[in-house]
């Protein structure tokens, strides 16, 4: 726990020194650009080091090691082709089942893509990176490494949506789908969020959303058709998060307060607004769907950009200060609850932290059967 708090604090402090909108100087590198490079490199090394050196940290770590073993044995696994090919390539290069290298590979590209996306898209790198850490996205990437690589690709693809470069967006989503096919949902979701919705159109969508309460069996059959491995498993139990609902509702209230100034005429913030609204609808209406949180994360990840952008547009300095303190306080509270109360639970199991330098890997299913 102390390690995680130290890593979060150290990287956020370094992130606050980064100016992702530096003044460009021709033929020379400014002092700020040099500081940016040093700080970003330091942040990356810290995040990558902790993630890559872990051993049996994450509730599905041993399951992934089992999947990698089965891939190497050319047995059936429910993982996507991109993951399988990476495993075969890295195992082939290593000459043995080097699962540590595979986890390091996913950690490297997941962290790299997130940092690149935040630097490229944030109004304030430091603020957005703080929210990224406080909302637990980095620490949750210790689980479901395929999904978080796909999530990082989805975040990196947002500028293509805003610029209407649909071919680039779809190609990046398809690449992400080779690691976790859930990322395909961003193709319709991000497209819908990019549209300039009218009130009557939102009314029709709201009417459609009522079908989620009456046609749950139908939608579950659709999910089983798309994900046949979910049939007769605990994944079909569904479930939602009151914390995520509260977070989306709070963001919605703040965005409505700032709507005329920050959202109405701003294509980017309007996209974030509809992403948040879509996530709220999903968490409220679709709790019966399996792992709804995974779909919701593709939408709520935009909070790390949306919140700083909303606060930036508040003209009254006293009001801006109050809301900024409120957002920071809520994020710190979220992080505290996450680390103190959830990190060691079976659903996450990122505590206690263990590293291959001092611990041994537990036997996997293939070793004991």
């Amino acid at each position: 726990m102390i390690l995680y708090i130290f890593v979060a604090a150290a990287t956020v402090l370094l992130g606050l020194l980064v100016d992702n909108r530096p003044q460009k100087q021709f033929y020379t590198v400014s002092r700020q650009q040099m500081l940016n490079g040093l700080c970003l490199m330091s942040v990356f090394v810290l995040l990558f080091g902790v993630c890559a050196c872990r051993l049996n940290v994450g509730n599905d770590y041993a399951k992934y090691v089992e999947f990698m073993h089965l891939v190497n044995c050319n047995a059936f696994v429910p993982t996507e082709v991109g993951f399988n090919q990476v495993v075969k390539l890295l195992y082939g290069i290593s000459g043995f089942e080097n699962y540590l290298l595979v986890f390091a590979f996913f950690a490297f590209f997941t962290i790299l893509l997130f940092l690149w996306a935040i630097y490229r898209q944030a109004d304030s790198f430091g603020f957005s990176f703080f929210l990224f850490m406080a909302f637990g996205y980095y620490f949750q990437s210790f689980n479901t490494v395929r999904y978080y690589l796909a999530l990082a690709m989805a975040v990196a693809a947002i500028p293509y949506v805003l610029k209407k470069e649909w071919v680039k967006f779809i190609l990046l989503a398809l690449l992400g789908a080779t690691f976790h096919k859930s990322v395909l949902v961003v193709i319709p979701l991000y497209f819908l969020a990019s549209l300039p919705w009218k009130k009557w159109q939102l009314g029709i969508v709201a009417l459609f959303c009522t079908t989620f309460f009456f046609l749950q069996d139908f939608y579950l059959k659709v999910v089983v058709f798309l994900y046949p491995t979910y049939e007769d498993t605990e994944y079909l139990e569904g479930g939602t998060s009151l914390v995520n609902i509260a977070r989306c509702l709070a963001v919605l209230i703040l965005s409505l307060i700032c709507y005329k100034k920050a959202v109405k005429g701003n294509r980017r913030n309007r996209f974030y607004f509809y992403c948040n609204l879509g996530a709220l609808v999903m968490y409220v209406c679709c709790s019966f769907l399996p792992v709804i949180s995974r779909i919701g994360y593709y939408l709520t990840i935009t909070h790390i950009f949306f919140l700083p952008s909303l606060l930036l547009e508040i003209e009254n300095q006293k009001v801006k200060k109050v809301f900024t303190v409120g957002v920071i306080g809520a994020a710190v509270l979220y992080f505290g609850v996450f680390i103190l109360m959830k990190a060691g639970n079976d659903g996450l199991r990122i505590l206690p932290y263990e590293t291959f330098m001092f611990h041994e890997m537990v036997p996997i299913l293939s070793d004991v059967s």
Side-chain angles (χ1 to χ4, degrees):
M1 182 187 305
I2 296 176
L3 174 65
Y4 292 162
I5 294 174
F6 168 77
V7 169
T11 53
V12 167
L13 288 175
L14 287 167
L16 291 174
L17 299 176
V18 175
D19 179 6
N20 58 319
R21 297 289 186 268
Q23 293 183 351
K24 296 182 179 180
Q25 298 181 6
F26 295 102
Y27 307 113
T28 61
V29 178
S30 68
R31 185 174 300 177
Q32 182 61 54
Q33 288 174 316
M34 294 178 64
L35 181 62
N36 285 351
L38 179 62
C39 290
L40 288 171
M41 180 62 69
S42 299
V43 168
F44 177 83
V45 169
L46 279 171
L47 297 182
F48 173 71
V50 171
C51 193
C53 292
R54 76 189 194 280
L55 180 72
N56 200 29
V57 175
N59 70 321
D60 57 1
Y61 192 100
K63 183 183 293 186
Y64 265 107
V65 175
E66 172 73 11
F67 284 160
M68 294 175 201
H69 171 73
L70 294 175
V71 168
N72 194 47
C73 296
N74 294 315
F76 171 78
V77 287
T79 49
E80 289 80 0
V81 62
F83 173 82
N84 298 344
Q85 292 303 314
V86 167
V87 171
K88 289 183 177 181
L89 175 64
L90 295 180
Y91 275 18
I93 293 173
S94 301
F96 66 101
E97 296 192 356
N98 191 351
Y99 53 85
L100 292 173
L101 182 59
V102 177
F103 281 113
F105 172 92
F106 279 89
F108 181 93
F109 286 102
T110 300
I111 296 168
L112 184 66
L113 281 171
F114 272 128
L115 289 180
W116 178 65
I118 295 172
Y119 187 86
R120 184 185 180 193
Q121 299 176 50
D123 289 319
S124 167
F125 178 89
F127 203 166
S128 291
F129 180 75
F130 160 72
L131 294 175
F132 171 76
M133 295 297 293
F135 288 154
Y137 290 111
Y138 165 69
F139 294 106
Q140 292 189 76
S141 70
F142 291 5
N143 287 294
T144 324
V145 295
R146 296 159 33 245
Y147 169 79
Y148 276 91
L149 177 58
L151 179 61
M153 289 183 177
V155 178
I158 289 176
Y160 299 131
V161 176
L162 299 177
K163 295 177 183 177
K164 297 185 178 181
E165 297 178 352
W166 299 112
V167 174
K168 293 181 181 179
F169 165 63
I170 292 174
L171 288 176
L172 192 53
L174 291 175
L175 177 61
T178 64
F179 295 98
H180 204 281
K181 58 187 176 182
S182 68
V183 75
L184 292 176
V185 300
V186 304
I187 295 177
L189 291 180
Y190 283 6
F191 172 74
L192 291 173
S194 70
L195 298 177
W197 291 87
K198 305 296 184 182
K199 290 183 180 179
W200 66 269
Q201 293 172 326
L202 291 175
I204 293 175
V205 172
L207 187 63
F208 169 77
C209 288
T210 61
T211 64
F212 290 117
F213 296 107
F214 305 109
L215 300 175
Q216 294 185 3
D217 290 340
F218 168 76
Y219 288 117
L220 282 173
K221 289 179 181 178
V222 173
V223 170
V224 171
F225 174 77
L226 296 174
Y227 289 87
T229 56
Y230 281 0
E231 190 170 11
D232 298 325
T233 68
E234 70 276 8
Y235 292 115
L236 287 183
E237 294 176 1
T240 190
S241 169
L242 294 177
V243 174
N244 285 332
I245 292 175
R247 187 173 121 193
C248 291
L249 187 59
V251 173
L252 178 62
I253 293 172
L254 178 60
S255 63
L256 289 175
I257 293 173
C258 306
Y259 189 85
K260 287 186 178 180
K261 178 67 177 178
V263 178
K264 188 175 182 180
N266 189 311
R267 177 178 171 81
R268 183 186 60 164
N269 285 349
R270 190 181 64 207
F271 170 79
Y272 299 152
F273 176 84
Y274 286 125
C275 281
N276 178 70
L277 184 61
L280 180 60
V281 170
M282 284 186 178
Y283 287 133
V284 173
C285 301
C286 306
S287 61
F288 65 94
L289 292 177
V291 268
I292 188 64
S293 62
R294 289 188 182 180
I295 300 176
Y297 275 13
Y298 286 116
L299 300 174
T300 60
I301 188 67
T302 59
H303 288 174
I304 67 175
F305 305 122
F306 193 28
L307 286 170
S309 185
L310 289 174
L311 295 173
L312 185 65
E313 296 297 334
I314 298 176
E315 295 179 346
N316 188 303
Q317 293 303 310
K318 290 184 179 180
V319 174
K320 177 185 288 190
K321 186 175 182 179
V322 169
F323 278 119
T324 301
V325 170
V327 169
I328 293 173
V332 171
L333 178 63
Y334 188 100
F335 179 75
V337 171
F338 174 79
I339 291 295
L340 295 175
M341 300 179 61
K342 296 180 63 178
N345 293 349
D346 291 338
L348 287 173
R349 217 185 63 76
I350 61 175
L351 283 175
Y353 181 80
E354 296 180 351
T355 172
F356 68 87
M357 292 179 280
F358 304 109
H359 301 87
E360 296 292 335
M361 180 62 193
V362 298
I364 60 175
L365 183 62
S366 296
D367 294 332
V368 297
S369 61

